[in-house]
Amino acid sequence: MNLANGSQLQTTKEKIVDFLLVMLGSFLIAVGSSYFIIPFDILTGGVAGVSIVISKITSIPSTILINVLTYSMFIIGALVLGKDFAYKTITSSIVYPLFVTILSEVPIVMDIDPLLASVYAGAFVGAGVGIVFRTGASTGGMDIPPLILHKYTGIALPSLVMLVDALTVIAGCLVFGIEKALVGMISVYVSSILIDKMLLLGGQQSKAIYIISEYYQEIEKEIHTKIGRGTTLVSGMGGYTKKERPIIFVVISQKEYPELNRLILHIDPHAFVVVSDATEVQGEGFSYQDRGGL
């Protein structure tokens, strides 16, 4: 097999994996909508939350409204935002309402507290959205109005997303009352946490460390020999002294940090050390996720 064919095979494999992940993510979102959001009238963001409000006013079933809103938003988004948007959104826009329709035919009665239902709704939806986002695709739905407004107004996208969600909550308050809206906020919060967790899934928790010391050569040598990590020397200058002073930059795993800390204190107790979390590190000495090998 030549290199071109191997590259093509890799690309095909990535597309298959991405498609399956979008299917999985859309299914999880549908589970959260069908078994928690709709039965408990949870005023969360997205198409499901909007459908609940409209259903209360019009008596049209939420499942039908989810289908209508999702497909309508996709068509509008494709016309206004172009082919790239349509390509990234079409799978989720088709399978999510389809899954909701199928799951509505398999009802599961959850005899649980609405607060607990809100937590599980956020967990399923957040996990599903996070999985879809990992593929670079979009879930469509109520993400589309902010994208369109952003295109024509230039207003920051996060602000527009917040505006759309706020309008949904306000409408929900008017229809259901403040208590339902407060319960829905729990779902939104849990969902945001799960989205972040899914986006960082597989990343190795590490520490990125800057060390400033007159004894940088000794510290650097000990890091190489005792911890077995490579380092980078960054040129720096003291703001007060105006003296050139190399800065050691090193990335280590969390379990290696106590050993490094003891090492630095032993050589130079007065060293200036800056430690920050590195949620994902790829390269030599750290795990690298080859998506093509999934």
Side-chain angles (χ1 to χ4, degrees), residues 34-195:
S34 300
Y35 295 143
F36 297 101
I37 294 176
I38 295 175
F40 291 90
D41 290 332
I42 297 174
L43 298 176
T44 185
V47 170
V50 174
S51 298
I52 289 173
V53 176
I54 297 177
S55 177
K56 182 69 174 181
I57 298 172
T58 64
S59 297
I60 300 174
S62 296
T63 302
I64 295 176
L65 290 170
I66 286 176
N67 279 265
V68 172
L69 285 174
T70 303
Y71 294 139
S72 299
M73 288 294 102
F74 171 74
I75 293 172
I76 294 172
L79 293 174
V80 177
L81 300 174
K83 293 187 295 183
D84 288 341
F85 167 83
Y87 175 77
K88 293 179 179 179
T89 313
I90 186 168
T91 302
S92 182
S93 295
I94 291 175
V95 299
Y96 164 61
L98 180 61
F99 281 143
V100 170
T101 301
I102 294 173
L103 292 176
S104 67
E105 300 298 323
V106 189
I108 299 177
V109 178
M110 299 286 183
D111 187 17
I112 58 178
D113 187 274
L115 292 177
L116 187 59
S118 183
V119 171
Y120 276 99
F124 275 101
V125 172
V129 172
I131 290 173
V132 174
F133 282 176
R134 282 181 68 94
T135 69
S138 168
T139 56
M142 296 311 296
D143 291 340
I144 295 174
L147 288 170
I148 295 176
L149 290 173
H150 173 69
K151 178 179 180 179
Y152 290 105
T153 65
I155 299 174
L157 190 57
S159 299
L160 292 172
V161 172
M162 186 180 300
L163 174 62
V164 172
D165 287 343
L167 291 175
T168 303
V169 172
I170 291 172
C173 285
L174 295 175
V175 175
F176 289 95
I178 188 66
E179 183 177 347
K180 285 285 188 180
L182 293 175
V183 172
M185 290 176 64
I186 296 174
S187 176
V188 173
Y189 177 71
V190 173
S191 177
S192 66
I193 293 176
L194 263 293
I195 290 173

Side-chain angles (χ1 to χ4, degrees), residues 10-30:
Q10 184 76 13
T11 301
T12 301
K13 191 180 296 185
E14 288 180 355
K15 288 181 179 179
I16 293 173
V17 170
D18 284 350
F19 175 77
L20 293 176
L21 287 176
V22 171
M23 293 284 286
L24 173 61
S26 300
F27 177 74
L28 292 177
I29 300 171

Side-chain angles (χ1 to χ4, degrees), residues 218-247:
E218 291 89 339
I219 294 175
E220 184 183 32
K221 181 180 178 181
E222 291 294 288
I223 292 174
H224 294 166
T225 58
K226 297 291 180 62
I227 302 180
R229 290 294 184 187
T231 58
T232 299
L233 289 179
V234 182
S235 297
M237 176 183 290
Y240 180 75
T241 64
K242 304 302 181 184
K243 292 182 179 179
E244 294 284 346
R245 182 173 295 178
I247 302 170

Side-chain angles (χ1 to χ4, degrees), residues 8 141 192 238 264:
Q8 182 62 39
S192 66
I264 296 171

